[in-house]
Amino acid sequence: MTKTPLPLIRLTTTALALTTLLLPLVLNRGSLALYIDIALSACVVVGITLLMGFAGQVSLGQTVFYAMGGYTAALLVLNGAPPLLGMVAGTLTAALLALVLGVPLLRLHGHHLAFATIAMHLIFLVVVRQIDALGGSVGLMGIPGFSVAGITLADHQSIAFVSWGLLALVVLTAHNVIHSRVGRALRALATSETAAESAGIPVGRYKLTVFALSAAFAGLAGTLWAYYVGYLAPEMFPVSMSITFVVMAAVGGLGSIWGALLGTATIKIIVFWLGTAATTDAMPDYAPAVLNYAIYGLLLITVLLFLPHGVFPTLRRRIQTRLTPAPDKPTHSDPEPTAQGGDLRA
Amino acid sequence: MTNFLMFLINGIAVGCGFALVGSGLVAVYRITGVVNFAQGMFAVVAALTATSLLGLGIWHGPAEILAITVAGCVGLLTGLVALGKPGTPALTALLVTLAVGFLAYAVEVLIWGDHPRSMPGLEGRTVLLGVPLQRQYLLVIAITLIVFVVLSLLFSRTYTGKALTACADNPYAARVIGINVRRMGFLAFALGGTLGGVAGVLIAPLRPISFDSDIALIVGGFAAAIFGGLTRPSLALLGGVLLGITEVMIRAYGNASYATLGSLVFLITIMIWQAARRPTMHKEAA
């Protein structure tokens, strides 16, 4: 079904992508910050959608890799390395960390893995606070802005374009992985690891590869975040952040790249919009936090219970059913072969 | 030596707190197969409610019991959300309980603000075999023991308890003989809420509780529960106590900032060890 996208849908997505690409030219400062936030979070969420939707593995600790990318880049740049090198190094370090941690962690399944990844996140926070080179609980200050070959790209607009470039890179990579041999193998192992294994798929190696890839996406986004914000502290990476990434992936629809983008954008915009509403009025100072948690909680509950495949795949199916002539109507039985991993049912 | 014994009792008390949170997890998992992420939240709700009730001038005792009841009701509500829609897979239910925890953050911050709160417990010390001990620690240990005995009696001696166990062993057979498995699931969540509530009111005098204390509690509780494979309360108690002793000893003799690290490493090590011992343990999709 996904092989033959309808021209109308393709046209709409192209128009949407073009509009999004041109948006930084007209946005004001606050909206640009939101724009960058969406692009960078979407990089992480695309990784999660690959990991959860295709490999069937839950990670509630993806922020660790985001922070890892940021810290690596910041350390290098503060010691005089060019930001681009920091970006590459941050991405690779995050991937490497995932490879090392993945070997023991990915032996776990379902809720065990969920808890282990949260534990990984908490351990990371404790360790970062103890390392003086990373600034301990105070954090790293004065991280130089992003620049390539002497051209400074540190203003909001440039960072917005760069962040969108990174997201494009991430989406392209994910798209190619999904439509490769590895992608098909992943879809098989998401349904049943045992079956996939007996069909000769190296399950362990593939799971590890996707974990490392998703970590690399998060690390890459984290590096730009560090250059953009200019400082890093352990408090910036709470456990709830990892959970919100999963919420975005689940809302958008696991196993769908467009769903990841849509889910991230929708949630970030709702939170931003309600957040500004909460700060402008004579509201108590904790109102934005309350709204934030309430939105994430309610959205996640609603989507999990009533739209288990996520908003985007459901929407796409509706549109396709409406646009396709009646005879070759797609079957309703399982239109998203990738939507949920086997572990989600274990 | 006196110091060591003091730390030991202290550790056992802290561990009992973990074990109580863990026992709630076990109760829910045994019966519904759902790992209840909101278990730590029940303790937080009970602790915060108790501080408010005490602030209103209600006596110790009634205040705590009322707070535990509130936690039980919150547990039931969580169960209604997580299990209310038939056919929800267990891991989806886990994510739902996670979401309920998030929603609870919003409510908790709204009611109690985002600063940690503490409450007075049993004051004074008693001297046992020459070791001065805070009474609150002894109270925690005593109540935990009572709770675990009652829990095991409930599962083995009462009709409801046996019905609950039947639901866990074979939901289909339980349904055939006329047990309402869904209702038992709700009951399990209410029980989990109550057990979490007991943990909360006992822990609150030992360490300040804020809305996001649930993460530390749930990780500790899960580590304790996983020790018994999530199904055996007595092993969960042992796991919790071991964990508590490790934590307090690291705090006392090592670096205090690594204390929580102990429980986390303990958790991961046990899980990986279990997974390595039983590689085919995980269930495939139905």
Side-chain angles (χ1 to χ4, degrees), chain B residues 66-156:
Chain B
L66 214 60
I68 293 169
T69 318
V70 169
C73 294
V74 173
L76 183 62
L77 276 178
T78 309
L80 285 174
V81 177
L83 303 173
K85 193 163 175 286
T88 309
L91 201 63
T92 305
L94 180 144
L95 290 175
V96 172
T97 59
L98 196 72
V100 171
F102 251 58
L103 206 57
Y105 274 10
V107 178
E108 285 158 12
V109 174
L110 207 59
I111 300 177
W112 291 289
D114 48 5
H115 295 293
R117 285 163 157 250
S118 193
M119 64 182 218
L122 269 188
E123 279 167 24
R125 292 160 180 265
T126 32
V127 177
L128 199 76
L129 301 171
V131 185
L133 298 168
Q134 279 192 37
R135 283 206 187 141
Q136 179 69 23
Y137 288 135
L138 297 178
L139 180 75
V140 174
I141 295 168
I143 292 189
T144 305
L145 286 177
I146 293 170
V147 166
F148 272 87
V149 169
V150 170
L151 205 60
S152 76
L153 286 178
L154 174 78
F155 279 124
S156 60

Side-chain angles (χ1 to χ4, degrees), chain A residues 207-248:
Chain A
K207 280 202 289 190
L208 200 60
T209 313
V210 180
F211 192 48
L213 191 65
S214 75
F217 291 167
L220 179 65
T223 57
L224 190 65
W225 176 250
Y227 298 144
Y228 173 55
V229 181
Y231 66 95
L232 290 174
E235 279 68 38
M236 290 162 71
F237 308 104
V239 174
S240 53
M241 188 171 168
S242 286
I243 299 170
T244 55
F245 286 138
V246 175
V247 177
M248 291 173 208

Side-chain angles (χ1 to χ4, degrees), chain A residues 104 108-109 111-112 115-116 118 122 126 130 192-194 243 290 293-294 296-298 301 304-305 343-344 346, chain B residues 35 37 81 85 89 91 94-96 98-99 102-103 105-106 109 222 226 230 257-258 264 271-272 282-284:
Chain A
L108 304 171
H109 296 268
H111 50 257
H112 290 87
F115 268 94
I118 283 205
L122 291 169
V126 172
Q130 297 306 309
S192 165
E193 275 187 28
T194 319
I243 299 170
V290 170
Y293 292 129
Y296 282 114
L298 283 175
I301 292 174
L304 285 174
L305 292 183
D343 270 13
L344 281 181
Chain B
V35 176
F37 225 98
V81 177
K85 193 163 175 286
L91 201 63
L94 180 144
L95 290 175
V96 172
L98 196 72
F102 251 58
L103 206 57
Y105 274 10
V109 174
F222 189 76
I226 206 79
L230 277 174
S257 36
Y258 287 120
L264 298 168
M271 284 200 298
I272 291 168
H282 76 278
K283 296 171 198 154
E284 281 287 351

Side-chain angles (χ1 to χ4, degrees), chain B residues 43-45 47-48 115-118 200 203-204 207-211 213 217:
Chain B
V44 170
V45 165
L48 293 177
H115 295 293
R117 285 163 157 250
S118 193
I203 293 169
R207 58 163 89 169
I209 298 281
S210 65
F211 72 99
S213 301
L217 289 173

Side-chain angles (χ1 to χ4, degrees), chain A:
Chain A
M1 296 130 263
T2 43
K3 289 271 175 192
T4 54
L6 296 152
L8 191 67
I9 295 179
R10 175 158 279 180
L11 209 69
T12 323
T13 40
T14 316
L16 208 68
L18 263 178
T19 322
T20 324
L21 197 61
L22 295 175
L23 266 180
L25 294 174
V26 293
L27 290 176
N28 63 7
R29 233 192 100 156
S31 312
L32 272 178
L34 174 67
Y35 185 94
I36 295 163
D37 192 17
I38 292 177
L40 294 183
S41 298
C43 291
V44 185
V45 177
V46 167
I48 289 185
T49 218
L50 271 187
L51 189 65
M52 274 181 86
F54 287 88
Q57 310 298 311
V58 196
S59 169
L60 295 177
Q62 213 64 8
T63 305
V64 170
F65 304 117
Y66 191 71
M68 195 69 196
Y71 270 110
T72 311
L75 267 189
L76 284 175
V77 174
L78 283 173
N79 287 310
L84 207 57
L85 180 71
M87 201 169 248
V88 175
T91 313
L92 290 179
T93 316
L96 201 70
L97 182 73
L99 279 181
V100 174
L101 292 176
V103 171
L105 286 184
L106 291 178
R107 306 178 74 139
L108 304 171
H109 296 268
H111 50 257
H112 290 87
L113 184 62
F115 268 94
T117 47
I118 283 205
M120 168 184 91
H121 192 148
L122 291 169
I123 291 173
F124 175 79
L125 290 180
V126 172
V127 171
V128 165
R129 285 202 182 94
Q130 297 306 309
I131 298 178
D132 290 331
L134 298 180
S137 339
V138 184
L140 293 174
M141 306 280 180
I143 302 165
F146 189 59
S147 63
V148 181
I151 306 161
T152 312
L153 294 168
D155 63 301
H156 287 261
Q157 211 172 59
S158 311
I159 292 275
F161 281 121
V162 174
S163 68
W164 213 251
L166 292 189
L167 180 59
L169 185 73
V170 163
V171 167
L172 205 66
T173 313
H175 183 84
N176 283 331
V177 167
I178 290 169
H179 292 283
S180 69
R181 211 181 120 75
V182 182
R184 286 196 298 277
L186 285 174
R187 246 169 282 172
L189 80 85
T191 328
S192 165
E193 275 187 28
T194 319
E197 195 141 34
S198 31
I201 295 169
V203 169
R205 188 143 48 89
Y206 278 9
K207 280 202 289 190
L208 200 60
T209 313
V210 180
F211 192 48
L213 191 65
S214 75
F217 291 167
L220 179 65
T223 57
L224 190 65
W225 176 250
Y227 298 144
Y228 173 55
V229 181
Y231 66 95
L232 290 174
E235 279 68 38
M236 290 162 71
F237 308 104
V239 174
S240 53
M241 188 171 168
S242 286
I243 299 170
T244 55
F245 286 138
V246 175
V247 177
M248 291 173 208
V251 167
L254 293 176
S256 146
I257 295 178
W258 285 110
L261 302 184
L262 194 81
T264 313
T266 312
I267 293 187
K268 285 279 179 191
I269 290 170
I270 295 177
V271 168
F272 178 79
W273 179 61
L274 282 174
T276 37
T279 40
T280 46
D281 298 329
M283 299 281 258
D285 55 346
Y286 52 74
V290 170
L291 273 170
N292 226 325
Y293 292 129
I295 293 165
Y296 282 114
L298 283 175
L299 272 179
L300 188 56
I301 292 174
T302 319
V303 168
L304 285 174
L305 292 183
F306 302 107
L307 295 171
H309 291 290
V311 174
F312 185 74
T314 313
L315 213 66
R316 183 169 60 188
R317 194 171 44 202
R318 289 259 167 90
I319 294 171
Q320 273 183 346
T321 347
R322 185 159 298 174
L323 292 182
T324 322
D328 49 340
K329 211 177 190 175
T331 46
H332 271 273
S333 54
D334 195 9
E336 278 292 307
T338 57
Q340 280 193 337
D343 270 13
L344 281 181
R345 276 160 226 191

Side-chain angles (χ1 to χ4, degrees), chain B:
Chain B
M1 191 60 196
T2 312
N3 268 346
F4 177 78
L5 283 175
M6 226 167 72
F7 291 139
L8 192 68
I9 300 288
N10 189 337
I12 292 173
V14 171
C16 283
F18 290 139
L20 277 174
V21 177
S23 72
L25 275 174
V26 169
V28 173
Y29 184 79
R30 250 180 94 122
I31 295 151
T32 63
V34 174
V35 176
N36 178 20
F37 225 98
Q39 192 63 41
M41 178 266 280
F42 301 154
V44 170
V45 165
L48 293 177
T49 309
T51 59
S52 286
L53 292 175
L54 289 171
L56 289 174
I58 296 175
W59 298 325
H60 270 293
E64 274 87 353
I65 289 170
L66 214 60
I68 293 169
T69 318
V70 169
C73 294
V74 173
L76 183 62
L77 276 178
T78 309
L80 285 174
V81 177
L83 303 173
K85 193 163 175 286
T88 309
L91 201 63
T92 305
L94 180 144
L95 290 175
V96 172
T97 59
L98 196 72
V100 171
F102 251 58
L103 206 57
Y105 274 10
V107 178
E108 285 158 12
V109 174
L110 207 59
I111 300 177
W112 291 289
D114 48 5
H115 295 293
R117 285 163 157 250
S118 193
M119 64 182 218
L122 269 188
E123 279 167 24
R125 292 160 180 265
T126 32
V127 177
L128 199 76
L129 301 171
V131 185
L133 298 168
Q134 279 192 37
R135 283 206 187 141
Q136 179 69 23
Y137 288 135
L138 297 178
L139 180 75
V140 174
I141 295 168
I143 292 189
T144 305
L145 286 177
I146 293 170
V147 166
F148 272 87
V149 169
V150 170
L151 205 60
S152 76
L153 286 178
L154 174 78
F155 279 124
S156 60
R157 294 289 158 86
T158 66
Y159 179 78
T160 315
K162 284 182 181 162
L164 286 170
T165 313
C167 294
D169 282 350
N170 190 336
Y172 177 71
R175 211 174 297 133
V176 166
I177 60 163
I179 297 169
N180 187 335
V181 176
R182 253 160 64 91
R183 193 175 300 159
M184 288 296 163
F186 297 147
L187 194 63
F189 266 93
L191 181 65
T194 312
L195 289 169
V198 175
V201 295
L202 286 175
I203 293 169
L206 301 181
R207 58 163 89 169
I209 298 281
S210 65
F211 72 99
D212 56 357
S213 301
D214 68 325
I215 294 275
L217 289 173
I218 188 71
V219 170
F222 189 76
I226 206 79
F227 201 73
L230 277 174
T231 49
R232 279 177 287 179
S234 52
L235 280 180
L237 180 58
L238 181 68
V241 169
L242 278 177
L243 188 62
I245 294 174
T246 319
E247 238 196 73
V248 171
M249 291 302 167
I250 294 175
R251 210 180 286 274
Y253 296 106
N255 185 339
S257 36
Y258 287 120
T260 46
L261 210 63
S263 62
L264 298 168
V265 173
F266 181 90
L267 171 70
I268 293 186
T269 315
I270 287 181
M271 284 200 298
I272 291 168
W273 178 65
Q274 282 179 348
R277 218 167 37 129
R278 282 172 290 174
T280 53
M281 190 183 66
H282 76 278
K283 296 171 198 154
E284 281 287 351

